[in-house]
Each structure stands twice: as C-alpha cells, then as structure tokens.
Coordinates of all heavy atoms in Angstrom, one line a residue:
M416 N 0.8 -1.2 0.1 CA 0.0 0.0 0.1 C 0.9 1.2 0.0 O 1.8 1.3 0.7 CB -0.9 0.0 1.2 CG -1.8 1.3 1.3 SD -3.0 1.2 2.7 CE -2.1 1.6 4.0
N417 N 0.6 2.2 -0.8 CA 1.4 3.4 -1.0 C 0.9 4.3 0.1 O -0.3 4.9 0.2 CB 1.1 4.2 -2.2 CG 2.0 5.3 -2.5 OD1 2.7 5.7 -1.6 ND2 2.0 5.8 -3.7
N418 N 1.7 4.6 1.1 CA 1.3 5.5 2.3 C 2.1 6.8 2.2 O 2.5 7.2 3.2 CB 1.6 4.7 3.5 CG 0.7 5.0 4.7 OD1 -0.2 5.9 4.5 ND2 0.9 4.5 5.8
T419 N 2.1 7.5 1.1 CA 2.9 8.7 0.9 C 2.4 9.9 1.7 O 3.1 10.8 2.2 CB 3.0 9.1 -0.5 OG1 1.6 9.3 -1.1 CG2 3.6 8.1 -1.3
D420 N 1.1 9.9 2.0 CA 0.6 11.0 2.8 C 0.3 10.6 4.2 O -0.5 11.3 5.0 CB -0.7 11.6 2.2 CG -1.8 10.7 1.9 OD1 -1.5 9.4 2.1 OD2 -2.8 11.0 1.3
N421 N 0.9 9.6 4.7 CA 0.9 9.1 6.1 C -0.5 8.9 6.7 O -0.7 9.0 7.9 CB 1.7 10.1 7.0 CG 3.1 10.2 6.8 OD1 3.7 9.2 6.4 ND2 3.7 11.3 6.7
K422 N -1.5 8.5 5.9 CA -2.8 8.2 6.3 C -2.8 6.7 6.7 O -2.2 5.9 5.9 CB -3.9 8.5 5.2 CG -4.1 9.9 5.0 CD -5.2 10.1 4.1 CE -5.5 11.6 3.8 NZ -6.4 11.9 2.7
R423 N -3.4 6.3 7.7 CA -3.5 5.0 8.1 C -5.0 4.6 8.1 O -5.8 5.2 8.6 CB -3.0 4.7 9.5 CG -1.4 5.2 9.6 CD -0.9 4.7 10.9 NE -0.2 3.6 10.5 CZ 0.1 2.6 11.3 NH1 -0.3 2.6 12.5 NH2 0.9 1.5 10.8
F424 N -5.2 3.4 7.4 CA -6.7 2.9 7.3 C -6.7 1.6 7.9 O -5.8 0.7 7.9 CB -7.0 2.8 5.8 CG -7.1 4.1 5.1 CD1 -6.1 4.6 4.3 CD2 -8.2 4.9 5.2 CE1 -6.1 5.7 3.7 CE2 -8.2 6.1 4.6 CZ -7.2 6.6 3.8
Y425 N -7.8 1.3 8.5 CA -8.0 0.0 9.1 C -8.3 -1.0 8.0 O -9.1 -0.8 7.2 CB -9.2 0.1 10.1 CG -9.7 -1.2 10.7 CD1 -8.9 -2.0 11.5 CD2 -10.9 -1.6 10.3 CE1 -9.3 -3.2 12.0 CE2 -11.5 -2.9 10.8 CZ -10.6 -3.5 11.7 OH -11.0 -4.8 12.2
T426 N -7.6 -2.1 8.1 CA -7.7 -3.1 7.1 C -8.3 -4.4 7.9 O -7.5 -5.2 8.5 CB -6.4 -3.5 6.4 OG1 -5.9 -2.3 5.9 CG2 -6.7 -4.5 5.3
P427 N -9.6 -4.7 7.8 CA -10.1 -5.8 8.5 C -9.7 -7.1 7.8 O -9.6 -7.1 6.7 CB -11.7 -5.5 8.5 CG -11.8 -4.8 7.3 CD -10.6 -3.9 7.2
Q428 N -9.7 -8.1 8.7 CA -9.6 -9.5 8.1 C -11.0 -10.0 7.7 O -11.9 -9.9 8.5 CB -8.9 -10.4 9.1 CG -7.5 -10.1 9.5 CD -6.6 -10.2 8.3 OE1 -6.6 -11.3 7.6 NE2 -5.8 -9.2 8.1
F429 N -11.2 -10.5 6.6 CA -12.4 -11.1 6.1 C -12.6 -12.5 6.8 O -11.6 -13.2 6.9 CB -12.5 -11.2 4.6 CG -12.7 -9.9 3.9 CD1 -12.6 -10.0 2.5 CD2 -12.9 -8.7 4.5 CE1 -12.7 -8.9 1.7 CE2 -13.0 -7.6 3.8 CZ -13.0 -7.7 2.4
S430 N -13.8 -12.8 7.0 CA -14.2 -14.1 7.4 C -14.1 -15.0 6.1 O -14.0 -14.4 5.0 CB -15.6 -14.2 7.9 OG -16.5 -13.9 6.9
E431 N -14.1 -16.3 6.3 CA -13.9 -17.2 5.1 C -15.1 -16.9 4.2 O -15.0 -16.9 2.9 CB -13.9 -18.6 5.5 CG -13.8 -19.5 4.4 CD -13.6 -21.0 4.8 OE1 -13.6 -21.3 6.0 OE2 -13.7 -21.9 3.9
T432 N -16.3 -16.8 4.7 CA -17.5 -16.6 3.9 C -17.4 -15.3 3.1 O -17.7 -15.2 1.9 CB -18.8 -16.5 4.8 OG1 -19.0 -17.8 5.4 CG2 -20.0 -16.2 3.9
A433 N -17.0 -14.2 3.8 CA -16.8 -12.9 3.1 C -15.7 -13.1 2.0 O -15.9 -12.5 0.9 CB -16.4 -11.8 4.1
S434 N -14.6 -13.7 2.3 CA -13.5 -13.8 1.4 C -13.9 -14.5 0.1 O -13.7 -14.1 -0.9 CB -12.4 -14.4 2.0 OG -11.2 -14.4 1.2
V435 N -14.6 -15.7 0.4 CA -14.9 -16.5 -0.8 C -16.0 -15.8 -1.5 O -15.9 -15.8 -2.8 CB -15.5 -17.9 -0.2 CG1 -16.3 -18.7 -1.3 CG2 -14.4 -18.7 0.5
S436 N -16.8 -15.2 -1.0 CA -18.0 -14.4 -1.7 C -17.4 -13.2 -2.5 O -17.8 -13.1 -3.6 CB -19.1 -13.9 -0.7 OG -19.6 -14.9 0.0
V437 N -16.5 -12.5 -1.9 CA -15.8 -11.4 -2.6 C -15.1 -11.9 -3.8 O -15.1 -11.3 -4.9 CB -15.0 -10.5 -1.7 CG1 -14.2 -9.5 -2.5 CG2 -15.9 -9.7 -0.7
R438 N -14.3 -13.0 -3.6 CA -13.6 -13.6 -4.7 C -14.6 -13.9 -5.9 O -14.3 -13.7 -7.0 CB -12.9 -14.9 -4.2 CG -12.3 -15.7 -5.3 CD -11.3 -15.1 -6.2 NE -10.2 -14.6 -5.6 CZ -9.5 -13.5 -6.0 NH1 -9.9 -12.9 -7.1 NH2 -8.4 -13.0 -5.4
R439 N -15.7 -14.6 -5.6 CA -16.6 -15.0 -6.7 C -17.2 -13.7 -7.4 O -17.3 -13.7 -8.5 CB -17.7 -15.9 -6.1 CG -17.1 -17.3 -6.0 CD -17.5 -18.1 -4.9 NE -16.9 -19.4 -4.9 CZ -15.6 -19.6 -4.5 NH1 -14.8 -18.7 -4.1 NH2 -15.2 -20.9 -4.5
F440 N -17.5 -12.7 -6.6 CA -18.0 -11.5 -7.1 C -16.9 -10.8 -8.0 O -17.2 -10.3 -9.1 CB -18.4 -10.5 -6.0 CG -19.1 -9.2 -6.5 CD1 -20.3 -9.3 -7.3 CD2 -18.7 -8.0 -6.1 CE1 -20.8 -8.1 -7.7 CE2 -19.2 -6.9 -6.5 CZ -20.3 -6.9 -7.4
A441 N -15.6 -10.8 -7.6 CA -14.6 -10.3 -8.3 C -14.5 -11.1 -9.7 O -14.2 -10.4 -10.8 CB -13.3 -10.4 -7.6
W442 N -14.6 -12.4 -9.7 CA -14.6 -13.2 -10.8 C -15.7 -12.8 -11.8 O -15.5 -12.7 -13.0 CB -14.7 -14.7 -10.5 CG -13.4 -15.3 -9.9 CD1 -12.2 -14.8 -10.1 CD2 -13.4 -16.5 -9.2 NE1 -11.3 -15.6 -9.3 CE2 -12.1 -16.7 -8.8 CE3 -14.4 -17.3 -8.7 CZ2 -11.7 -17.7 -8.0 CZ3 -14.0 -18.4 -7.9 CH2 -12.5 -18.6 -7.6
F443 N -16.9 -12.6 -11.3 CA -18.0 -12.1 -12.0 C -17.8 -10.9 -12.7 O -18.0 -10.7 -13.9 CB -19.3 -12.1 -11.1 CG -20.5 -11.3 -11.7 CD1 -21.1 -11.9 -12.7 CD2 -20.7 -10.0 -11.3 CE1 -22.3 -11.3 -13.2 CE2 -21.7 -9.3 -11.9 CZ -22.5 -9.9 -12.9
L444 N -17.1 -9.9 -12.0 CA -16.8 -8.6 -12.6 C -15.6 -8.6 -13.4 O -15.3 -7.7 -14.2 CB -16.6 -7.6 -11.4 CG -17.8 -7.3 -10.5 CD1 -17.3 -6.3 -9.4 CD2 -18.9 -6.6 -11.3
N445 N -14.9 -9.7 -13.3 CA -13.5 -9.9 -14.1 C -12.6 -8.7 -13.6 O -11.9 -8.0 -14.4 CB -13.7 -9.7 -15.6 CG -12.5 -10.3 -16.3 OD1 -11.8 -11.2 -15.8 ND2 -12.2 -9.9 -17.4
K446 N -12.5 -8.5 -12.3 CA -11.8 -7.4 -11.6 C -11.0 -8.0 -10.3 O -11.5 -9.1 -9.9 CB -12.7 -6.2 -11.1 CG -13.5 -5.7 -12.1 CD -12.8 -4.6 -12.8 CE -13.8 -3.9 -13.8 NZ -13.1 -3.1 -14.8
P447 N -10.0 -7.3 -9.9 CA -9.4 -7.8 -8.7 C -10.4 -7.6 -7.5 O -11.3 -6.9 -7.5 CB -8.1 -6.8 -8.5 CG -8.1 -6.0 -9.7 CD -9.4 -6.1 -10.5
M448 N -10.1 -8.4 -6.5 CA -11.0 -8.3 -5.3 C -11.0 -6.9 -4.7 O -12.0 -6.5 -4.2 CB -10.4 -9.3 -4.2 CG -10.7 -10.7 -4.5 SD -10.1 -11.9 -3.3 CE -11.1 -11.5 -1.8
T449 N -10.0 -6.1 -4.7 CA -10.0 -4.7 -4.2 C -11.1 -3.9 -4.9 O -11.7 -3.1 -4.3 CB -8.7 -4.1 -4.3 OG1 -8.2 -4.2 -5.7 CG2 -7.7 -4.7 -3.3
Q450 N -11.2 -4.1 -6.3 CA -12.2 -3.3 -7.1 C -13.5 -4.0 -6.8 O -14.5 -3.1 -6.8 CB -11.7 -3.4 -8.5 CG -10.6 -2.6 -8.9 CD -10.2 -2.6 -10.3 OE1 -11.0 -2.9 -11.3 NE2 -9.0 -2.4 -10.7
A451 N -13.6 -5.2 -6.6 CA -15.0 -5.7 -6.2 C -15.5 -5.3 -4.9 O -16.7 -4.9 -4.7 CB -14.8 -7.3 -6.1
V452 N -14.6 -5.1 -3.9 CA -15.0 -4.5 -2.6 C -15.5 -3.1 -2.8 O -16.5 -2.6 -2.3 CB -13.9 -4.6 -1.6 CG1 -14.1 -3.8 -0.4 CG2 -13.6 -6.0 -1.2
E453 N -14.7 -2.3 -3.7 CA -15.2 -0.9 -3.9 C -16.6 -0.9 -4.6 O -17.4 -0.1 -4.2 CB -14.1 -0.3 -4.9 CG -12.8 0.0 -4.4 CD -12.8 1.2 -3.5 OE1 -13.7 2.2 -3.6 OE2 -12.1 1.3 -2.5
K454 N -16.8 -1.8 -5.5 CA -18.2 -1.8 -6.1 C -19.2 -2.2 -5.1 O -20.4 -1.5 -5.0 CB -18.3 -2.9 -7.2 CG -17.5 -2.5 -8.4 CD -18.2 -1.6 -9.3 CE -17.5 -1.4 -10.6 NZ -17.8 -0.2 -11.3
I455 N -18.9 -3.1 -4.1 CA -19.8 -3.4 -3.0 C -20.2 -2.2 -2.2 O -21.3 -2.0 -1.9 CB -19.3 -4.7 -2.2 CG1 -19.3 -5.9 -3.1 CG2 -20.1 -4.8 -1.0 CD1 -18.4 -7.1 -2.4
I456 N -19.1 -1.5 -1.8 CA -19.3 -0.3 -1.1 C -20.1 0.7 -1.8 O -21.1 1.4 -1.2 CB -18.0 0.3 -0.7 CG1 -17.0 -0.6 0.2 CG2 -18.1 1.6 0.0 CD1 -17.8 -1.1 1.4
L457 N -20.0 0.9 -3.1 CA -20.7 1.9 -3.9 C -22.2 1.4 -4.0 O -23.0 2.2 -4.3 CB -20.1 2.0 -5.2 CG -18.7 2.8 -5.2 CD1 -18.2 2.8 -6.6 CD2 -18.9 4.2 -4.6
L458 N -22.4 0.1 -3.8 CA -23.8 -0.4 -4.0 C -24.6 -0.3 -2.7 O -25.8 -0.3 -2.7 CB -23.8 -1.8 -4.5 CG -23.3 -2.0 -5.9 CD1 -23.1 -3.5 -6.3 CD2 -24.3 -1.4 -6.9
L459 N -23.9 -0.2 -1.6 CA -24.6 -0.3 -0.2 C -25.7 0.8 -0.1 O -26.7 0.5 0.4 CB -23.6 -0.1 0.8 CG -22.8 -1.3 1.2 CD1 -21.7 -1.0 2.3 CD2 -23.6 -2.4 1.6
P460 N -25.5 2.1 -0.7 CA -26.6 3.0 -0.5 C -27.9 2.7 -1.3 O -29.0 3.2 -1.0 CB -26.0 4.3 -1.1 CG -24.6 4.1 -0.9 CD -24.4 2.7 -1.1
F461 N -27.8 1.7 -2.2 CA -29.0 1.2 -3.0 C -29.8 0.2 -2.2 O -30.8 -0.2 -2.5 CB -28.6 0.8 -4.4 CG -28.0 1.9 -5.3 CD1 -26.6 2.0 -5.4 CD2 -28.8 2.8 -5.9 CE1 -26.1 3.0 -6.2 CE2 -28.3 3.8 -6.7 CZ -26.9 3.9 -6.8
I462 N -29.0 -0.4 -1.2 CA -29.5 -1.5 -0.5 C -30.1 -1.0 1.0 O -31.1 -1.5 1.5 CB -28.5 -2.6 -0.3 CG1 -28.1 -3.1 -1.7 CG2 -29.0 -3.7 0.6 CD1 -26.9 -3.9 -1.7
L463 N -29.3 -0.1 1.6 CA -29.6 0.3 2.8 C -30.1 1.7 2.8 O -29.8 2.5 1.8 CB -28.2 0.3 3.6 CG -27.5 -1.0 3.8 CD1 -26.1 -0.9 4.4 CD2 -28.4 -2.0 4.6
D464 N -30.8 2.2 3.8 CA -31.3 3.6 4.0 C -30.1 4.5 4.3 O -29.7 4.5 5.5 CB -32.4 3.6 5.0 CG -33.1 4.9 5.1 OD1 -32.6 5.9 4.6 OD2 -34.2 4.9 5.6
A465 N -29.6 5.2 3.3 CA -28.5 6.1 3.5 C -28.8 7.2 4.5 O -27.9 7.6 5.4 CB -28.1 6.7 2.2
A466 N -30.0 7.7 4.6 CA -30.4 8.7 5.6 C -30.2 8.3 7.0 O -29.7 8.9 7.9 CB -31.8 9.2 5.3
K467 N -30.6 7.0 7.2 CA -30.3 6.4 8.6 C -28.9 6.3 8.9 O -28.4 6.4 10.0 CB -31.1 5.0 8.7 CG -32.6 5.2 8.7 CD -33.4 3.9 8.9 CE -34.8 4.1 9.0 NZ -35.6 2.8 9.1
I468 N -28.1 5.8 7.9 CA -26.6 5.7 8.1 C -26.1 7.0 8.4 O -25.3 7.2 9.4 CB -26.0 5.1 6.9 CG1 -26.6 3.8 6.4 CG2 -24.4 5.1 7.0 CD1 -26.3 2.6 7.3
C469 N -26.5 8.1 7.7 CA -26.0 9.4 8.0 C -26.4 9.9 9.4 O -25.6 10.6 10.1 CB -26.4 10.4 6.9 SG -25.7 10.1 5.3
Q470 N -27.6 9.6 9.8 CA -28.0 10.0 11.1 C -27.2 9.3 12.2 O -27.0 10.0 13.3 CB -29.5 9.6 11.3 CG -30.5 10.5 10.6 CD -31.9 10.1 10.8 OE1 -32.1 8.9 11.3 NE2 -32.9 10.8 10.4
A471 N -26.7 8.2 12.0 CA -25.9 7.4 13.0 C -24.5 7.7 12.9 O -23.7 7.3 13.8 CB -26.1 5.9 12.8
C472 N -24.0 8.6 11.9 CA -22.6 8.9 11.7 C -22.0 9.6 12.8 O -22.7 10.5 13.5 CB -22.5 9.6 10.4 SG -20.8 10.1 10.0
K473 N -20.9 9.3 13.2 CA -20.2 10.0 14.3 C -18.9 10.9 13.8 O -18.2 11.4 14.6 CB -19.5 8.9 15.3 CG -20.7 8.2 16.0 CD -20.1 7.1 16.9 CE -21.3 6.3 17.5 NZ -20.8 5.3 18.3
D474 N -18.9 11.0 12.5 CA -17.8 11.8 11.9 C -18.3 12.4 10.7 O -18.2 12.0 9.6 CB -16.6 10.9 11.6 CG -15.4 11.7 11.0 OD1 -15.5 12.9 11.0 OD2 -14.4 11.1 10.7
N475 N -18.7 13.7 10.8 CA -19.3 14.4 9.6 C -18.2 15.2 8.8 O -18.5 16.0 7.9 CB -20.4 15.3 10.0 CG -20.0 16.3 10.9 OD1 -18.9 16.5 11.2 ND2 -21.0 17.2 11.3
R476 N -16.9 14.9 9.0 CA -15.9 15.6 8.3 C -15.6 15.0 7.0 O -14.8 15.6 6.2 CB -14.6 15.6 9.2 CG -14.7 16.4 10.5 CD -13.5 16.2 11.5 NE -13.5 14.8 11.8 CZ -12.3 14.2 12.2 NH1 -11.3 14.9 12.4 NH2 -12.4 12.9 12.5
R477 N -16.0 13.9 6.8 CA -15.6 13.2 5.5 C -16.9 12.8 4.6 O -16.8 11.8 3.9 CB -14.8 11.9 5.8 CG -13.6 12.2 6.5 CD -12.6 11.1 6.3 NE -11.3 11.7 6.3 CZ -10.3 10.9 6.5 NH1 -10.4 9.6 6.5 NH2 -9.0 11.4 6.6
C478 N -17.9 13.6 4.7 CA -19.2 13.2 4.0 C -18.8 13.1 2.5 O -19.4 12.3 1.8 CB -20.2 14.3 4.3 SG -20.8 14.2 6.0
N479 N -18.0 14.0 2.0 CA -17.7 14.0 0.5 C -17.0 12.7 0.0 O -16.9 12.4 -1.1 CB -16.8 15.2 0.1 CG -17.6 16.6 0.1 OD1 -18.8 16.5 0.0 ND2 -17.0 17.6 0.5
S480 N -16.4 12.0 1.0 CA -15.7 10.7 0.7 C -16.5 9.5 1.0 O -16.1 8.4 0.7 CB -14.4 10.6 1.4 OG -13.6 11.7 1.1
C481 N -17.7 9.7 1.4 CA -18.5 8.6 1.9 C -19.6 8.2 0.8 O -20.2 8.9 0.2 CB -19.4 9.1 3.2 SG -20.4 7.7 3.8
A482 N -19.7 6.8 0.6 CA -20.5 6.3 -0.4 C -22.0 6.5 0.0 O -22.9 6.6 -0.9 CB -20.4 4.7 -0.4
F483 N -22.4 6.7 1.2 CA -23.7 6.9 1.6 C -24.2 8.4 1.4 O -25.4 8.7 1.4 CB -24.0 6.7 3.2 CG -23.8 5.2 3.4 CD1 -22.7 4.6 4.0 CD2 -24.8 4.3 3.0 CE1 -22.5 3.3 4.3 CE2 -24.7 2.9 3.2 CZ -23.5 2.5 3.8
N484 N -23.2 9.2 0.9 CA -23.6 10.6 0.5 C -23.9 10.6 -0.9 O -23.2 11.0 -1.8 CB -22.3 11.5 0.7 CG -22.7 13.0 0.4 OD1 -23.8 13.3 0.1 ND2 -21.7 13.8 0.4
I485 N -25.0 9.8 -1.2 CA -25.4 9.5 -2.6 C -25.9 10.7 -3.4 O -25.8 10.8 -4.7 CB -26.5 8.5 -2.6 CG1 -26.7 7.8 -4.0 CG2 -27.8 9.0 -2.1 CD1 -27.5 6.5 -4.0
K486 N -26.1 11.8 -2.7 CA -26.4 13.0 -3.4 C -25.3 13.6 -4.2 O -25.5 14.2 -5.2 CB -26.7 14.1 -2.4 CG -28.0 13.8 -1.6 CD -28.3 14.9 -0.5 CE -27.5 14.5 0.6 NZ -27.7 15.2 1.8
K487 N -24.1 13.1 -4.0 CA -22.9 13.6 -4.7 C -22.8 12.9 -6.1 O -22.2 13.3 -7.0 CB -21.6 13.3 -4.1 CG -21.2 11.9 -3.9 CD -19.8 11.8 -3.2 CE -19.5 10.3 -3.1 NZ -18.3 10.1 -2.5
M488 N -23.7 11.8 -6.3 CA -23.6 11.0 -7.5 C -24.8 11.4 -8.4 O -26.0 11.3 -7.8 CB -23.6 9.6 -7.2 CG -23.4 8.6 -8.4 SD -23.5 6.8 -7.9 CE -22.2 6.7 -6.7
S489 N -24.7 11.7 -9.5 CA -25.8 12.1 -10.4 C -26.6 10.9 -10.7 O -26.2 9.7 -10.6 CB -25.4 12.7 -11.7 OG -24.8 11.7 -12.5
E490 N -27.9 11.0 -11.1 CA -28.8 9.9 -11.4 C -28.2 9.1 -12.6 O -28.2 7.8 -12.6 CB -30.1 10.4 -11.9 CG -31.0 10.8 -10.7 CD -32.5 11.0 -11.1 OE1 -32.9 10.4 -12.0 OE2 -33.1 11.9 -10.4
D491 N -27.5 9.8 -13.5 CA -26.8 9.1 -14.7 C -25.7 8.2 -14.1 O -25.5 7.1 -14.6 CB -26.4 10.1 -15.7 CG -25.9 9.4 -16.9 OD1 -26.6 8.7 -17.5 OD2 -24.7 9.8 -17.4
E492 N -24.9 8.8 -13.2 CA -23.8 8.0 -12.6 C -24.4 6.7 -11.8 O -23.8 5.7 -11.9 CB -23.0 8.8 -11.6 CG -22.1 9.9 -12.4 CD -21.5 10.9 -11.4 OE1 -22.2 11.3 -10.4 OE2 -20.3 11.1 -11.6
Q493 N -25.4 7.0 -11.1 CA -26.0 5.9 -10.4 C -26.5 4.8 -11.3 O -26.3 3.6 -11.1 CB -27.3 6.4 -9.6 CG -27.0 7.3 -8.4 CD -28.2 7.9 -7.7 OE1 -29.2 7.2 -7.7 NE2 -28.1 9.0 -7.3
Y494 N -27.2 5.2 -12.5 CA -27.5 4.2 -13.4 C -26.4 3.5 -14.1 O -26.5 2.2 -14.2 CB -28.4 4.9 -14.6 CG -28.8 4.0 -15.7 CD1 -29.8 3.1 -15.6 CD2 -28.1 4.0 -16.9 CE1 -30.2 2.2 -16.6 CE2 -28.3 3.2 -17.9 CZ -29.4 2.3 -17.8 OH -29.7 1.3 -18.8
K495 N -25.3 4.2 -14.4 CA -24.2 3.6 -15.0 C -23.6 2.5 -14.0 O -23.1 1.5 -14.5 CB -23.2 4.6 -15.4 CG -23.6 5.3 -16.7 CD -22.5 6.3 -17.1 CE -23.0 7.2 -18.3 NZ -22.0 8.2 -18.6
L496 N -23.6 2.9 -12.7 CA -23.0 2.0 -11.8 C -23.8 0.7 -11.7 O -23.2 -0.5 -11.7 CB -22.9 2.6 -10.4 CG -22.5 1.7 -9.2 CD1 -21.2 1.2 -9.3 CD2 -22.8 2.5 -7.9
L497 N -25.1 0.9 -11.6 CA -25.9 -0.4 -11.5 C -26.0 -1.2 -12.9 O -26.0 -2.4 -12.8 CB -27.4 0.1 -11.1 CG -27.5 0.7 -9.7 CD1 -28.9 1.3 -9.5 CD2 -27.2 -0.4 -8.7
A498 N -25.9 -0.4 -14.0 CA -25.9 -1.1 -15.3 C -24.7 -1.9 -15.6 O -24.6 -2.9 -16.3 CB -26.2 0.0 -16.3
A499 N -23.5 -1.5 -14.9 CA -22.3 -2.1 -15.1 C -22.3 -3.5 -14.5 O -21.4 -4.3 -14.8 CB -21.1 -1.3 -14.5
L500 N -23.3 -3.7 -13.7 CA -23.3 -5.1 -13.1 C -24.2 -6.1 -14.0 O -24.3 -7.1 -14.0 CB -23.9 -5.1 -11.7 CG -23.1 -4.3 -10.7 CD1 -23.7 -4.2 -9.4 CD2 -21.7 -5.0 -10.5

C-alpha cells in the first residue's frame, strides 16, 4: 500500500464466507478483489437507507468521501454503476 501522505486505514480481516464471496463477485466482474470490494461499497446506498446511516454517523468531516452521500452522484452515474453489473 502506498502510504505517501501518512494516512492509516483500518484493514479488517475477512471471514472465510466474506473472502470466498468477494472472490466470486470479483470473478463475475472480471476485476481484482479490491475493485470488487469498492463496487460493493458503492452499491450499499442502494440497499440500505443512506439517511439512517448518515443519522448514525459519528464523523461528519468526511461526507464527501462517503458512499452513503449518494447526493454527490448524479442519477446518470447511479444508473451507470448499476448497469455495469
């Protein structure tokens, strides 16, 4: 991992189920697992109530970087994301 700006990110260990499932999703997308996880994260606001997630948020300094800030994505971008699957 390139850590040039000294940011540290938490890297969780996946359970066997999560790891196996992400691998298969990555195969489906024909992408590396890291990109598959990114897609999963971008899809969460379509599955979960983003407003409720935002209400529970304990750090509003990074809303522009958060997938649940779906307002930052145009309808066309949302459609392209979903259509890519």
Side-chain angles (χ1 to χ4, degrees):
M416 178 171 83
N417 187 356
N418 205 5
T419 58
D420 52 0
N421 294 323
K422 291 183 182 176
R423 302 190 100 209
F424 295 98
Y425 171 65
T426 307
Q428 295 294 312
F429 285 174
S430 68
E431 182 178 355
T432 299
S434 182
V435 167
S436 300
V437 169
R438 165 60 56 213
R439 278 140 183 79
F440 186 56
W442 288 336
F443 166 72
L444 295 175
N445 199 29
K446 304 275 184 195
M448 284 179 70
T449 52
Q450 290 180 23
V452 170
E453 288 286 327
K454 292 281 188 198
I455 292 167
I456 298 301
L457 292 174
L458 291 170
L459 286 176
F461 297 98
I462 301 166
L463 304 171
D464 187 341
K467 288 182 180 178
I468 302 292
C469 292
Q470 285 176 348
C472 181
K473 296 179 182 178
D474 181 5
N475 63 0
R476 297 172 295 159
R477 295 206 156 163
C478 294
N479 287 335
S480 298
C481 182
F483 293 104
N484 185 8
I485 199 163
K486 293 175 279 192
K487 71 180 181 178
M488 193 184 300
S489 72
E490 284 188 32
D491 189 49
E492 290 171 316
Q493 292 175 33
Y494 174 76
K495 286 180 183 177
L496 172 66
L497 295 171
L500 298 175

